């Protein structure tokens, strides 16, 4: 039986996508060849990446002056690649520090220009999203993290900004509709909501590029990937293929509005139980609760039961529920492909456990 996969990433993928990907890995479209052995310049992969780009554009409603790029190096490489491509030494990038990933992006950006952290919840262990801050018009861009995978907070809406927003959307990309026009650059590692580890999607507005003076190595220059349609060198063929299959699945499922409705329903089901159940409590400000990564801990009185509940989850086919070491307790990641019945199973287990122990 398939496990309930609550992992934060690499994470659950749609069953139909895995089935199709499995077939392609052995015998792609009856060719007698695996997709893994086909040239990235051949007609098969050309069709795949073209479909992936077209689906991405359609699903998020991307205007023509934006490019879709498929890179490698994980979202972590974007922490330096974005400032390297966008920020001159005498220019300033603004950051809102809402978690460990934002913090890492801040550290990397400092090597390329001035960095100003205009808001932060670091001192409060990132338990909320700061909202009152001023965005200086003279900055080059503002960097945000839409969803904080480790702490379980999420931006419900994005600030109005007079400077371009650069956004790390790794852990809630394609989980809800958004207005691409609000952003100058978006990046997301595929392994949270889109596909397997190995590719990072970058969506960049054309006028963001070509403004820095420094030399950019070809592989670290977004323009190389724009010009060569992500095929300057050998791209991560299989991760792009599986991401394309997930994009097909998203479209077939009804698009981002439908996914948002489902994701919200799943998240509220679990948050309701966390709030109702005397054994557990949430860890972040209610208004900033993530609909993708749901963190909860045992109430103090029941702290000794944590390991027992963890074991019970495992025994019931649930994996990936252990909270990040900086928060403790539990984290249920409820990405697009996690079925509602997995959340229902977890909620039922929490109820039964409380009845026995409460
Ligand atoms: C997972 C994650 C990252 C790091 O992604 P890698 O692909 O492992 O480098 C960065 N930012 C956010 C918000 C994440 O969730």
């Amino acid at each position: 039986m398939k496990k309930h996969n609550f992992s934060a990433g690499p994470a659950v993928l749609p069953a139909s996508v895995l089935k199709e990907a499995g077939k392609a890995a052995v015998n792609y479209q009856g060719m007698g060849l695996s997709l893994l052995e086909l040239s990235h310049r051949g007609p098969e992969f050309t069709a795949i990446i073209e479909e992936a780009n077209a689906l991405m554009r359609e699903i998020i409603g991307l205007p023509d002056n934006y490019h879709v790029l498929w890179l490698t190096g994980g979202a972590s490489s974007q922490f330096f690649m974005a400032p390297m491509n966008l920020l001159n030494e005498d220019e300033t990038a603004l950051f809102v520090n809402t978690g460990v990933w934002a913090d890492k992006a801040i550290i990397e950006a400092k090597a390329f220009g001035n960095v100003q952290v205009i808001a932060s919840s670091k001192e409060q262990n990132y338990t909320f999203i700061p909202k009152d801050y001023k965005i200086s018009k003279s900055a080059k861009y503002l960097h945000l993290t839409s969803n904080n995978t480790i702490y379980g907070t999420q931006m419900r809406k994005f600030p109005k900004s007079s400077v371009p927003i650069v956004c790390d959307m790794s852990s809630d990309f394609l989980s809800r509709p958004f207005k691409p026009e609000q952003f100058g650059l978006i990046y997301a590692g595929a392994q949270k909501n889109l596909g397997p580890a190995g590719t990072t999607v970058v969506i960049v507005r054309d006028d963001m590029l070509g403004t820095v003076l420094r030399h950019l190595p070809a592989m670290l220059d977004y323009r190389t990937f724009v010009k060569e349609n992500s095929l300057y060198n050998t791209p991560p063929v299989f991760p792009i293929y599986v991401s394309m299959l997930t994009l097909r699945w998203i479209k077939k499922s009804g698009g981002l509005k439908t996914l948002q409705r489902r994701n919200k329903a799943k998240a509220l089901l679990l948050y309701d139980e966390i709030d109702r159940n005397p054994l557990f409590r949430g860890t972040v400000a209610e208004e900033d609760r993530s609909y993708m990564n749901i963190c909860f801990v045992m109430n103090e009185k029941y702290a000794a039961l944590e390991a027992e509940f963890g074991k019970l989850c495992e025994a019931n086919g649930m994996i990936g529920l252990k909270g990040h070491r900086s928060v403790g307790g539990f984290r249920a990641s409820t990405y697009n492909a996690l079925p509602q019945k997995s959340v229902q199973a977890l909620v039922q287990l929490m109820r039964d456990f409380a009845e026995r122990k409460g």
Side-chain angles (χ1 to χ4, degrees):
M1 208 193 84
K2 173 93 176 158
K3 303 252 171 168
H4 299 292
N5 187 358
F6 292 97
S7 298
V12 59
L13 287 166
S16 60
V17 166
L18 293 175
K19 197 169 158 204
E20 183 107 21
K23 269 198 302 188
V26 178
N27 184 1
Y28 185 63
Q29 295 192 337
M31 290 175 72
L33 288 167
S34 162
L35 180 58
L36 296 165
E37 0 176 63
L38 290 177
S39 166
H40 60 292
R41 310 248 175 236
E44 297 81 14
F45 187 70
T46 303
I48 288 167
I49 195 163
E50 280 177 3
E51 184 174 350
N53 287 334
L55 283 168
M56 182 74 80
R57 302 194 84 94
E58 180 186 342
I59 286 166
I60 65 183
L62 198 62
D64 288 342
N65 59 331
Y66 284 78
H67 306 284
V68 178
L69 313 177
W70 300 88
L71 308 188
T72 53
S76 299
S77 290
Q78 296 310 307
F79 297 162
F80 66 80
M81 197 167 165
M84 194 179 199
N85 278 262
L86 307 179
L87 189 65
N88 281 304
E89 268 178 53
D90 59 349
E91 293 172 332
T92 300
L94 309 176
F95 282 78
V96 177
N97 188 354
T98 51
V100 157
W101 299 118
D103 212 36
K104 288 187 171 169
I106 289 166
I107 291 166
E108 298 280 15
K110 285 179 178 167
F112 299 98
N114 302 315
V115 164
Q116 202 187 330
V117 179
I118 55 170
S120 171
S121 50
K122 188 174 184 173
E123 300 301 312
Q124 291 81 18
N125 203 29
Y126 299 119
T127 46
F128 67 99
I129 303 270
K131 291 165 201 86
D132 287 326
Y133 46 81
K134 253 192 76 156
I135 302 165
S136 160
K137 279 196 183 75
S138 59
K140 191 72 178 285
Y141 64 83
L142 164 67
H143 182 281
L144 302 173
T145 312
S146 55
N147 182 74
N148 301 287
T149 329
I150 291 174
Y151 303 92
T153 58
Q154 184 175 29
M155 291 186 172
R156 280 282 103 70
K157 56 182 193 174
F158 298 99
K160 267 207 163 61
S161 173
S162 50
V163 301
I165 296 178
V166 171
C167 190
D168 178 358
M169 285 198 189
S170 292
S171 52
D172 66 354
F173 187 53
L174 305 183
S175 71
R176 56 178 172 174
F178 63 96
K179 288 198 177 72
E181 299 86 349
Q182 272 189 289
F183 302 91
L185 187 145
I186 293 163
Y187 60 92
Q191 72 274 18
K192 309 281 165 61
N193 225 358
L194 179 59
T199 190
T200 304
V201 175
V202 169
I203 291 169
V204 61
R205 202 173 65 211
D206 200 57
D207 67 354
M208 296 291 287
L209 303 177
T211 73
V212 292
L213 303 172
R214 69 177 60 85
H215 168 73
L216 299 168
M219 279 298 288
L220 296 180
D221 187 338
Y222 291 128
R223 288 171 303 179
T224 305
F225 293 85
V226 170
K227 197 161 140 246
E228 305 289 339
N229 199 15
S230 302
L231 286 161
Y232 169 73
N233 74 324
T234 316
V237 171
F238 206 72
I240 294 172
Y241 172 66
V242 180
S243 300
M244 185 278 282
L245 295 178
T246 308
L247 289 165
R248 275 187 191 164
W249 174 84
I250 291 173
K251 183 176 171 180
K252 225 177 90 194
S253 303
L256 299 186
K257 271 205 183 118
T258 305
L259 290 180
Q260 179 181 42
R261 188 161 35 74
R262 284 191 204 163
N263 288 331
K264 186 173 175 184
K266 284 185 288 182
L268 294 185
L269 189 64
L270 184 49
Y271 282 124
D272 283 349
E273 181 59 24
I274 291 166
D275 292 340
R276 194 203 60 80
N277 193 308
L279 269 57
F280 302 95
R281 66 174 170 83
T283 56
V284 301
E286 239 179 276
E287 61 175 13
D288 299 327
R289 284 173 162 180
S290 169
Y291 292 166
M292 291 277 100
N293 309 98
I294 298 169
C295 296
F296 55 103
V297 294
M298 309 283 332
N299 269 320
E300 222 146 273
K301 193 174 150 202
Y302 301 100
L305 295 174
E306 185 175 307
E308 188 180 342
F309 185 68
K311 282 211 185 84
L312 184 68
C313 291
E314 254 171 59
N316 281 273
M318 297 174 189
I319 71 129
L321 279 168
K322 196 172 166 49
H324 191 272
R325 62 187 178 280
S326 53
V327 180
F330 304 94
R331 170 177 55 176
S333 296
T334 54
Y335 296 121
N336 283 345
L338 185 84
Q340 169 125 357
K341 66 177 190 321
S342 291
V343 179
Q344 278 161 345
L346 175 59
V347 163
Q348 193 57 49
L349 211 58
M350 291 163 77
R351 273 191 200 152
D352 295 347
F353 195 62
E355 248 162 59
R356 280 192 286 124
K357 307 282 181 178

